[in-house]
Amino acid sequence: MGKKMLIIIGAIVVLFVALYFVIDYKNNQALESSENPYGTNNLDQATIDQLDEPLYQNQILPDELNEKISNGEEVTVYFYSPTCVYCQNTTPYLAPLAEDMDVDMKKFNLLEFGQQGIAYGIESTPTLVHYENGEEVSRLVGQYPEEEYEAFFDEYVLN
């Protein structure tokens, strides 16, 4: 009985090790074959899964956002997390709306840069913020209907 148990435990361990290497290989292939705007390969799995997703392009990194705000540039930023259910529900209509309205909406991934999000007063996701002249002009926190986002863009971005 003892030998059979060791064989079964050994087989389970081998399967888990093999699964780890298969997932690692898959992730490395995904990172090599896609545009990776993050500047690192040490990404969360949810971020890796979105690398080629058209809705999650136009990423902005913390240093670039800081520079834009410091220079007084106008910038609209969608703070989100790939694991946020509300973001997963909002992004499929918000991203195309921004594109249709010709709004250059940058996306800030809080799963990868959560600590830097604190500097912008981000407490929950999704959050849409518009900056002008180095200051926050307006923000929407939470999930809203498409009409609310359209009104936000009309009032603050396209004025």
Side-chain angles (χ1 to χ4, degrees):
M1 185 71 168
K3 284 185 178 183
K4 286 183 182 181
M5 188 62 102
L6 287 175
I7 291 172
I8 291 171
I9 291 173
I12 291 172
V13 168
V14 167
L15 287 174
F16 276 113
V17 169
L19 181 62
Y20 170 80
F21 283 111
V22 167
I23 291 172
D24 189 52
Y25 176 77
K26 178 186 156 270
N27 287 343
N28 287 333
Q29 291 297 103
L31 288 169
E32 289 174 9
S33 67
S34 63
E35 291 291 322
N36 179 357
Y38 296 98
T40 180
N41 287 343
N42 188 19
L43 300 172
D44 189 275
Q45 183 63 50
T47 298
I48 293 170
D49 294 342
Q50 291 180 342
L51 284 175
D52 289 330
E53 175 65 44
L55 295 174
Y56 295 96
Q57 302 306 306
N58 205 23
Q59 295 288 323
I60 192 164
L61 301 179
D63 291 341
E64 184 183 356
L65 180 57
N66 288 336
E67 183 177 329
K68 284 186 176 293
I69 293 172
S70 296
N71 291 339
E73 294 179 44
E74 189 173 316
V75 63
T76 303
V77 184
Y78 174 54
F79 294 91
Y80 77 99
S81 172
T83 59
C84 165
V85 174
Y86 302 105
C87 300
Q88 292 168 358
N89 292 332
T90 301
T91 305
Y93 63 86
L94 177 58
L97 174 67
E99 190 172 321
D100 291 346
M101 294 182 73
D102 202 27
V103 172
D104 183 22
M105 182 180 74
K106 302 294 187 186
K107 296 171 188 90
F108 190 102
N109 184 339
L110 289 168
L111 184 60
E112 299 300 329
F113 305 112
Q115 292 300 322
Q116 287 91 336
I118 294 170
Y120 304 106
I122 306 303
E123 296 177 0
S124 64
T125 56
T127 298
L128 181 65
V129 183
H130 183 71
Y131 299 93
E132 290 179 17
N133 301 317
E135 300 291 327
E136 179 179 325
V137 175
S138 185
R139 106 175 14 206
L140 284 177
V141 178
Q143 185 177 6
Y144 289 89
E146 186 172 342
E147 297 78 27
E148 293 283 332
Y149 291 112
E150 186 173 354
F152 179 92
F153 291 147
D154 280 336
E155 183 173 350
Y156 299 106
V157 182
L158 303 173
N159 55 12

